[in-house]
Amino acid sequence: MPRPCKCRRICSVPRITRFDAAGEPHSEPVTIGLDELEVLRLLDRENLSQQQCAARMQVSRPTVARMYENVRKKLAEALTEGKSIHLAGGDIQVCTEPRPECRGVRNCCHRKKHSTVMDNKRR
């Protein structure tokens, strides 16, 4: 009996969930899981190590490595074959507010929401 999947923690659901290829409007889109997108964001955008990414998402480091390899293959397929990209799915748990480990993170999704709320309160 296989181990049950562990719920993966992500910062937030992206506002834009579909990127269409101009050349192939009827091709089957490549679907990237929201957990895979989070791995890509943490490793490539935030420059975290795989170990730091694993701790942030509450999964093992080998799981992060596997997800990173999968998302890179999917992106390569979409870009080289002119396919659309659809962001959806994954066994995820979405953060509802900033966590202590997000302090000082440039691209934390909650930072944008929090600064908008603060700007509105100042007016």
Side-chain angles (χ1 to χ4, degrees), residues 85-100:
I85 299 171
H86 185 226
L87 306 174
D91 190 11
I92 60 168
Q93 174 187 13
V94 181
C95 296
T96 56
E97 59 186 34
R99 295 179 309 195

Side-chain angles (χ1 to χ4, degrees), residues 15-86:
R15 290 177 307 144
I16 300 169
T17 58
R18 188 168 180 101
F19 299 88
D20 289 320
E24 297 289 329
H26 300 294
S27 67
E28 185 68 30
V30 172
T31 301
I32 293 176
L34 297 178
D35 50 353
E36 293 172 324
L37 179 65
E38 184 74 352
V39 165
L40 190 66
R41 182 183 76 82
L42 292 173
L43 294 179
D44 291 340
R45 184 85 169 127
E46 298 300 334
N47 296 317
L48 296 182
S49 69
Q50 288 186 359
Q51 191 63 43
Q52 291 168 319
C53 177
R56 182 85 52 97
M57 293 183 70
Q58 298 182 342
V59 296
S60 70
R61 194 218 41 86
T63 296
V64 167
R66 217 172 14 261
M67 290 186 342
Y68 187 57
E69 182 179 346
N70 288 340
V71 74
R72 287 179 57 213
K73 286 180 180 179
K74 290 177 181 182
L75 286 173
E77 177 187 350
L79 295 174
T80 59
E81 297 180 23
K83 293 184 175 184
S84 297
I85 299 171
H86 185 226

